[in-house]
Each structure stands twice: as C-alpha cells, then as structure tokens.
Amino acid sequence: MSEIIIKTPEQIEGIRKSSQLAGNTLKYISDFVKEGVSTEYLDQLIEEYIRNNNAIPAPLNYHGFPKSCCISLNNVICHGIPDEKTILKNGDILNIDVTTILDGYFGDTSTMFTIGEVSKEAANLVEDTEHAMYLGIDQVKPGNYFGNIGFMIGRFAKGKKYSVVYEFCGHGVGIEFHEAPQVEHIAPKNSGPKMKAGMVFTIEPMINLGKPRAIVDEKDGWTARTIDKKLSAQFEHTILVTEDGFEILSDVGDYDIFK
Ligand code: MF3
Ligand code: CO
Ligand code: CO
C-alpha cells in the first residue's frame, strides 16, 4: 500500500468542512430515524441533504455500491444497502454511515441508533462500542503507534466478552475515500507505523456479541453479516493528528440516538 499522506493546512480545512457536513448529515437524519420508516427513505433524505449542501454522497457508485449511505441493522456488521423492504421496528439497533465529498475532500462518520425498547445486551453493546471508539481516539498523538488504537479497543472489548471484527478496518481518508494506512481495531501493543501531525484517518470499530467473523452476502456483494446472526455495533469518526494530540473532525456535538 502507498505512503500515509501528511495533509497540508489547506487540505485539512477542506477535510474538516466535509467531515462536519458528514456529521451534520447524521444529526439531520436523527430526527427521521424511527419505527416504521424504510432504510430507503432515510437514504433518499441523506442524499438530498448532502446535495443541498453542494456535496456528493461518496458511497453512490463506489465500486458499484448502489446507494448514498450504508445502513446496517442488528446482525449486519457494515455495508448494509438501504432498501424499501427494510422497515425499522421496535428493538432494532442500526448503524448509519455517511461519507461526503465536498470540494473534492472526503469526510466519513457513522453512528448507531436504537429503536424503541431494545434488549439490555443490545443497549450495552451500543454504549460499549462508542466507548471503544473513544478509547481508540485517545491514543491519537504524534509518535504513538497505530497499533495502540487496536490494542486499547481489543483489550476493552475482550474484558466485556465481546469480539472485534478484524476483516474491516479504519483507513486514511481525505483526498480519497480509502487511503493508507489500514487502521486495525484489534492489534498488538506498539505495532504498525507511527502517527505524525497532519495525518487524517478514521477509527470505526465493529464489535460483536458473538464471533468476530463476517460473511459478505453472495447476491448483493456488499452486506457483511455476523456468522452466528448475533448483534454487531459500530461507531466512526474522522480524526486529525495535531501537534499535541487529536481533533475529531466529524464531531458536531450531541444528538439523541435513542429513538
Ligand atoms: N463508509 C464506509 C467506511 O467507513 C465505506 C463504505 S463503502 C460503500 O469505510 F461502498 F459501501 F459505501
Ligand atoms: Co470509514
Ligand atoms: Co464510513
């Protein structure tokens, strides 16, 4: 894989704007996420919001992906394709993953939502997965190893008897959708390359209640599910390495994820 790009201040400002738009898209859609709506409807609203903000939804036609965002319910780990048939129902947990291209720059972020009354183990999984992402983010500073992101996430998840998906990773982002390096969510301590100021990448752990393995749907070529049909959760932010730590470029403040 190619080298990890150190972004210029101008590029960072562009990626910050795109990441803020991606975050604001999640905040916007949070008002429409509720029991009874289809994932297709949410996808349409997301596409419209992004285009109204002079940007392009990056997933659309990316390696043939047919929709503008990914919506992954329950046992779907990631890359769920929005459709009319999938209607949100009481007890569901879901991830909505939005990636924007604004003035040529990419921002990538995702969040979980819960619908109505979810099981205690589902609610805990969602809360713990968000915490796992922040444990990873806390490792970001110049000179630290990328592997320590996955080390901290993996150690926490193991302590809670969860498993960490290793077949999908975080990634450099900004000039392109997926750049070097691959950011592993389970890794040995002090492994991998070192972080430098100006690097931009995602941290997007996928955590499972059961086994870690993913199986990609043979028919659609995208939808990745757990092999044991148990629940999976994911949160994602786009992170900049600053001189003394990190900036969460896609952070737009709090909104309600319990619907
Ligand atoms: N947004 C996803 C990520 O976090 C990638 C989705 S690729 C798509 O990397 F084609 F499915 F949209
Ligand atoms: Co990503
Ligand atoms: Co994403």
Side-chain angles (χ1 to χ4, degrees):
M1 211 162 174
S2 49
E3 299 226 328
I4 306 173
I5 304 168
I6 307 290
K7 271 83 176 184
T8 67
E10 186 188 338
Q11 290 168 334
I12 289 167
E13 186 49 28
I15 301 164
R16 183 183 288 112
K17 283 192 178 131
S18 190
S19 299
Q20 286 284 300
L21 175 58
N24 280 324
T25 306
L26 291 176
K27 195 180 244 185
Y28 162 77
I29 205 64
S30 69
D31 284 336
F32 298 92
V33 175
K34 52 174 164 266
E35 188 176 354
V37 305
S38 71
T39 55
E40 168 87 25
Y41 175 66
L42 297 175
D43 182 78
Q44 284 170 7
L45 290 175
I46 284 170
E47 175 169 13
E48 189 177 69
Y49 183 85
I50 291 170
R51 292 199 191 279
N52 285 342
N53 282 279
N54 306 311
I56 299 164
L60 190 61
N61 302 319
Y62 179 74
H63 295 285
F65 191 81
K67 296 287 172 175
S68 294
C69 67
C70 298
I71 305 186
S72 305
L73 272 69
N74 300 324
N75 63 319
V76 178
I77 296 171
C78 64
H79 301 167
I81 303 174
D83 66 6
E84 278 169 21
K85 285 187 325 216
T86 306
I87 312 286
L88 303 186
K89 59 180 193 310
N90 186 50
D92 281 344
I93 64 169
L94 65 146
N95 173 277
I96 303 186
D97 191 338
V98 167
T99 312
T100 48
I101 314 173
L102 178 62
D103 297 330
Y105 296 108
F106 290 76
D108 189 8
T109 181
S110 81
T111 187
M112 296 299 291
F113 293 99
T114 68
I115 307 298
E117 294 183 25
V118 303
S119 68
K120 188 76 190 137
E121 62 176 5
N124 287 341
L125 177 68
V126 169
E127 189 188 328
D128 291 338
T129 302
E130 184 170 34
H131 183 66
M133 175 186 68
Y134 283 112
L135 286 177
I137 291 172
D138 278 336
Q139 288 301 310
V140 177
K141 60 169 182 233
N144 198 10
Y145 294 93
F146 274 95
N148 287 339
I149 296 168
F151 176 72
M152 293 303 285
I153 293 170
R155 193 172 67 173
F156 171 71
K158 217 176 181 181
K160 295 266 182 183
K161 308 273 187 263
Y162 299 132
S163 66
V164 179
V165 174
Y166 56 86
E167 291 164 284
F168 300 95
C169 294
H171 50 92
V173 67
I175 312 297
E176 297 191 72
F177 198 158
H178 294 105
E179 304 172 359
Q182 290 205 38
V183 179
E184 294 174 357
H185 301 114
I186 181 156
K189 197 176 168 119
N190 295 343
S191 62
K194 280 185 181 175
M195 299 175 222
K196 291 187 183 137
M199 290 180 177
V200 181
F201 50 86
T202 71
I203 297 178
E204 49 180 303
M206 287 144 272
I207 309 250
N208 296 350
L209 274 186
K211 295 191 163 75
R213 280 288 316 280
I215 296 184
V216 175
D217 189 292
E218 274 185 21
K219 281 187 221 128
D220 69 31
W222 285 101
T223 310
R225 297 185 180 85
T226 56
I227 48 166
D228 51 13
K229 301 195 169 67
K230 292 195 177 170
L231 295 177
S232 184
Q234 178 179 30
F235 284 83
E236 175 176 27
H237 270 310
T238 293
I239 312 294
L240 165 70
V241 186
T242 61
E243 293 300 332
D244 56 0
F246 60 83
E247 178 184 338
I248 305 176
L249 297 180
S250 49
D251 186 9
V252 295
D254 285 343
Y255 51 89
D256 196 5
I257 67 165
F258 308 107
K259 297 295 172 178

